[in-house]
Amino acid sequence: MIIMPKLCNCSGKVKKQWFVYYSVRDPLSGKMVRVRHYDGFTGLSETEKYEHARKLIDDYSVRLQGGWSPFTGNQHIIYENNIDYKTVAEMYKTRQGANRTLRLILSKYIELMSSGISKSSLQTYTSCFRIFTLYTEKLGMERSDIMSYTNAAILSFFKYLIDKKKLSAKSIKKYTELLSSFFRFCINKKYIKTNPVHGIPKCNRVNDNTARPIMRDDIEVFKKELQKDPQLWLSVQFMFYCGLRPNHEVREMKIGDIDLVAGFIYINRSNAKTRNARVVTIPKQFLTFLRESIDTRKWDRGLYIFGRQGTPGVIPIGKNNLSRKFKKIRDALNMPREYKFYSWKHTSAVEMDESHIPLKDISRHFGHSSISVTDIYLKNKKPALSVAIRDYYPTL
């Protein structure tokens, strides 16, 4: 129904006419129509243009997500019910108003849980719920009341995930937890009396697509290529030295988040995975690099460090931009596909442990909720190496 607002900056040419644009489906013709807004850009500097664009994008994003449409004006339409995109309110009421449908109740549940988890986690959970919803609708349950979702329907869905989708045991466990939690919500709301999520078929499949730590010899090979791209090299160092997560914690970091005098990075709640703000110590060798590379007096403290022009800017670099650059280098070097952009964070944990840094310090550095979480994290990333077996094993 909608392609969200974006900026056209005319390839950075300030004298050109910049504009913000988005696309909306015309309810009469059924076709997508692009809408452009040129207002307010004339006479502004480059930095002012980006700031103005950000405000326009935020404004129209809120409007569109709230149901506003340039075709209907103030007439209420439904933009999203958290599971799928819908068009006109009357269609929604006619089809779903009579019963407490899965889509209706799931939307309420997702809205309730959205305040306590990160944006990326919410997207993952919503995707799982969407797959469940689409599957049950194929069974003809689109208009059914939530009470009709029996254990038989749940088992049928999990058989589909295991046999057809070939999901791993870890994914099946996640689906089980999500759906069980949702139906507990339904019980609390007195929509149903018992939880239909039980007796889930056992799955032992392992689909290992996780990022793996980078070997020390390979790190040296990577460094030569990474240093050719200052922005990519800087992001890798933030992950390695400070244990930061690449998307929100690195990509959305602002100049004002770094204290180059005290040697700290401030991670705010909105960017942290656990929704807990924390202060990260910058190792001295990286702190020296930052002091030589970033002139905090030159740039506004509100700018994102990783801007779209390769320098600090009002708009952060694209979500997958840095990871795509890393993947290109990895493939050119014929390195293992298990090496992913996120691997630099895992590599830092292994290197810290090998350097005998106390587990409690590693836990705090990574923002883990407890030392036990860090212990599990390390066991999954680090081989069970025995120095005694390696060096003193008897010869055959």
Side-chain angles (χ1 to χ4, degrees), residues 252 257 266-272 275-278:
E252 298 180 7
D257 296 333
Y266 299 93
I267 306 297
N268 59 55
R269 292 185 61 190
S270 61
N271 288 347
R275 281 294 186 265
N276 292 318
R278 71 182 195 277

Side-chain angles (χ1 to χ4, degrees), residues 79-353:
Y79 161 72
E80 184 181 5
N81 71 354
N82 284 322
I83 290 298
D84 205 355
Y85 298 97
K86 298 299 163 190
T87 52
V88 184
E90 289 306 316
M91 291 175 58
Y92 182 86
K93 291 177 182 177
T94 300
R95 191 184 65 186
Q96 296 186 320
N99 293 328
R100 297 168 299 185
T101 61
L102 179 65
R103 284 181 179 271
L104 183 63
I105 299 176
L106 264 177
S107 292
K108 295 179 181 179
Y109 179 66
I110 292 173
E111 183 178 357
L112 179 67
M113 69 186 300
S114 62
S115 60
I117 58 177
S118 67
K119 182 178 179 181
S120 58
S121 295
L122 180 63
Q123 291 172 340
T124 300
Y125 299 164
T126 302
S127 177
C128 292
F129 287 133
R130 183 178 292 117
I131 291 173
F132 175 63
T133 302
L134 293 174
Y135 177 82
T136 57
E137 287 180 351
K138 287 183 179 180
L139 299 179
M141 302 179 70
E142 182 176 3
R143 301 183 184 182
S144 300
D145 190 274
I146 195 67
M147 291 182 65
S148 63
Y149 286 78
T150 63
N151 178 246
I154 300 298
L155 294 182
S156 175
F157 173 63
F158 276 94
K159 190 175 188 307
Y160 160 75
L161 294 180
I162 296 171
D163 296 343
K164 300 293 184 182
K165 299 286 288 183
K166 305 295 183 182
L167 296 191
S168 66
K170 183 177 179 180
S171 295
I172 294 300
K173 180 181 179 182
K174 176 57 65 176
Y175 269 97
T176 303
E177 292 171 349
L178 286 175
L179 289 177
S180 183
S181 178
F182 165 67
F183 282 106
R184 284 198 299 271
F185 165 79
C186 293
I187 292 174
N188 293 335
K189 290 292 184 179
K190 302 188 183 304
Y191 298 147
I192 58 176
K193 293 184 177 181
T194 59
N195 196 324
V197 184
H198 56 84
I200 306 302
K202 188 175 182 179
C203 176
N204 296 318
R205 186 181 296 115
V206 177
N207 301 332
D208 190 4
N209 296 314
T210 58
R212 296 184 183 178
I214 299 173
M215 302 291 290
R216 170 50 59 183
D217 290 345
D218 292 338
I219 290 177
E220 296 304 318
V221 177
F222 270 120
K223 282 175 62 175
K224 295 179 181 179
E225 295 301 318
L226 293 171
Q227 289 173 340
K228 296 177 182 179
D229 186 328
Q231 196 176 50
L232 182 60
W233 176 232
L234 180 61
S235 66
V236 166
Q237 290 184 91
F238 271 118
M239 284 190 283
F240 179 81
Y241 285 114
C242 302
L244 303 186
R245 298 173 179 88
N247 188 18
H248 298 298
E249 294 182 352
V250 173
R251 187 177 69 91
E252 298 180 7
M253 186 190 308
K254 295 184 177 181
I255 289 179
D257 296 333
I258 303 179
D259 188 336
L260 293 181
V261 177
F264 295 114
I265 296 176
Y266 299 93
I267 306 297
N268 59 55
R269 292 185 61 190
S270 61
N271 288 347
K273 181 178 180 180
T274 58
R275 281 294 186 265
N276 292 318
R278 71 182 195 277
V279 178
V280 179
T281 301
I282 304 175
K284 61 181 181 180
Q285 59 269 54
F286 185 42
L287 181 60
T288 300
F289 177 86
L290 289 175
R291 287 171 175 170
E292 295 173 350
S293 304
I294 300 178
D295 187 353
T296 55
R297 296 167 297 180
K298 177 181 177 181
W299 303 102
D300 185 280
R301 292 175 58 82
L303 296 179
Y304 292 99
I305 292 178
F306 296 94
R308 295 191 174 184
Q309 307 303 315
T311 58
V314 296
I315 300 177
I317 197 170
K319 181 178 180 181
N320 299 314
N321 186 292
L322 295 170
S323 60
R324 281 197 298 264
K325 287 182 179 180
F326 173 76
K327 181 180 178 182
K328 186 176 181 180
I329 292 175
R330 179 201 67 192
D331 294 345
L333 294 174
N334 292 318
M335 289 291 187
R337 296 179 65 86
E338 291 80 10
Y339 288 168
K340 304 181 189 299
F341 190 48
Y342 208 106
S343 292
W344 293 103
K345 178 178 179 295
H346 299 334
T347 304
S348 71
V350 173
E351 292 285 329
M352 290 173 73
D353 188 58

